Amino acid sequence: MRRILSTIFLLLVSTAPVLAQAQAPDAAALKGLLNEFLAGAGRNDPSVHERFWAEDLIYTGSTGRRVGKADIMRDVRSAPAPKPGDPKTAYSAEDVRIQQYGDTAIVAFRLVGTTTRGGATEVSKFLNTGTFLRRGGRWQAVSWQATRLPRPEEEVRKEVAAAEAGFQQAMLAGDVKRLESLLDETFVRTFRDGSRQTRREALEELGSGRLKFTRLETSGVTVDVYGDAAVVRGKSLRQRSAVPGAEADAAPFEFFYTMTLVNKGGVWKAVAMHSSHP
């Protein structure tokens, strides 16, 4: 009996690819269409979106936002032209599974987005499932669902720590461009005297040279992640050679700080910071 069961199992395993191919005769065409779309999506090419999505599309993104083809095309066409140094993202598909039911097909796969930003590489993964209909001999997606895969917490902590360290380095170097990329539009900093500073004010202060640092070090830094939000706490030792409305620091001084960051489109940005003396 054991030998019979083993033989049946081997037959099932050996014939599985054949059965899958028989069940999805258009699998090669659908996979080719998917790969063509992913390559074009990395270039933000409107023509591949126009070809891929059906007019009656219902798209549910990983954030829960539900849109149609008109919404997608509007976003694609209104996106600004890429500039030198802008992050670049390449998309690929892993574990592609295709099931076909006549003129209807289900395409499920793991989407991998690889973003190159400032010499560093970031990878995000999503589970995607698309329903395709064949109309007039042409396959198009009529429904789409994307689910973001959770990443290892330690990996996320490292990303957050790198973003916070980048903030400190930009402040020390007076690098306004880098600081701008790390601060969200809604960023607000609260100082120990209760005064507040917006993102625009922080960038102007650093860019004008009214604020300059000769020393900026951190210690005791901790990172706590809560989904797409993170809190960084630490101690900063710093000395300023230029201070808005005051004299330069005669000696280094310490203070505690708390920074809140959020993940937007795979990028960690600071939205709030609070500092106080020990």
Side-chain angles (χ1 to χ4, degrees):
M1 176 63 71
R2 181 178 299 174
R3 182 177 297 177
I4 294 173
L5 290 174
S6 298
T7 302
I8 293 173
F9 175 76
L10 288 172
L11 285 171
L12 289 172
V13 171
S14 62
T15 57
V18 177
L19 289 173
Q21 184 176 1
Q23 292 170 358
D26 285 35
L30 286 162
K31 191 170 183 180
L33 177 63
L34 175 63
N35 290 334
E36 179 186 357
F37 168 74
L38 294 178
R43 303 189 303 269
N44 203 40
D45 185 344
S47 65
V48 299
H49 286 274
E50 184 66 47
R51 164 68 182 86
F52 192 76
W53 305 115
E55 296 300 326
D56 49 348
L57 169 74
I58 299 175
Y59 184 108
T60 305
S62 60
T63 61
R65 181 189 178 210
R66 181 167 287 175
V67 298
K69 180 176 181 177
D71 303 297
I72 293 175
M73 298 307 301
R74 182 172 57 250
D75 290 346
V76 170
R77 287 172 175 147
S78 63
K83 297 177 293 185
D86 280 357
K88 295 181 179 179
T89 302
Y91 298 103
S92 60
E94 298 177 345
D95 190 21
V96 180
R97 306 180 188 185
I98 300 175
Q99 297 172 195
Q100 187 174 344
Y101 311 92
D103 289 334
T104 303
I106 306 297
V107 179
F109 65 99
R110 182 167 56 249
L111 174 68
V112 180
T114 305
T115 302
T116 304
R117 190 193 318 275
T121 300
E122 303 167 3
V123 178
S124 56
K125 297 184 178 182
F126 300 79
L127 290 179
N128 282 252
T129 301
T131 302
F132 289 75
L133 283 184
R134 181 168 51 193
R135 294 164 171 164
R138 184 172 72 165
W139 288 101
Q140 283 189 308
V142 294
S143 178
W144 201 268
Q145 174 76 47
T147 302
R148 187 182 185 93
L149 283 172
R151 299 168 59 201
E153 187 169 328
E154 187 57 34
E155 182 179 323
V156 177
R157 286 175 186 269
K158 288 180 180 179
E159 283 188 4
V160 174
E164 188 273 336
F167 169 87
Q168 306 291 356
Q169 293 163 6
M171 294 292 289
L172 178 61
D175 190 339
V176 177
K177 186 175 181 180
R178 187 178 185 188
L179 184 63
E180 184 177 16
S181 69
L182 293 166
L183 300 183
D184 187 72
E185 293 287 347
T186 62
F187 175 80
V188 174
R189 180 170 183 175
T190 303
F191 295 93
R192 64 183 186 274
D193 61 358
S195 60
R196 290 185 172 185
Q197 184 182 63
T198 65
R199 175 180 185 265
R200 179 182 58 79
E201 292 168 340
L203 295 174
E204 288 180 354
E205 187 176 78
L206 193 66
S208 66
R210 290 183 289 122
L211 176 64
K212 291 183 181 179
F213 291 90
T214 54
R215 187 175 182 182
L216 202 163
E217 302 169 5
T218 60
S219 61
V221 178
T222 62
V223 178
D224 294 294
V225 178
Y226 309 92
D228 284 334
V231 177
V232 179
R233 302 176 181 89
K235 181 188 291 186
S236 178
L237 175 67
R238 55 182 57 192
Q239 187 171 7
R240 301 166 296 183
S241 59
V243 183
E247 295 182 358
D249 300 321
F253 66 96
E254 284 186 331
F255 67 81
F256 293 110
Y257 69 93
T258 301
M259 180 183 290
T260 303
L261 302 95
V262 296
N263 189 307
K264 288 190 171 183
V267 181
W268 288 97
K269 291 180 176 284
V271 294
M273 186 174 182
H274 187 277
S275 58
S276 61
H277 282 301

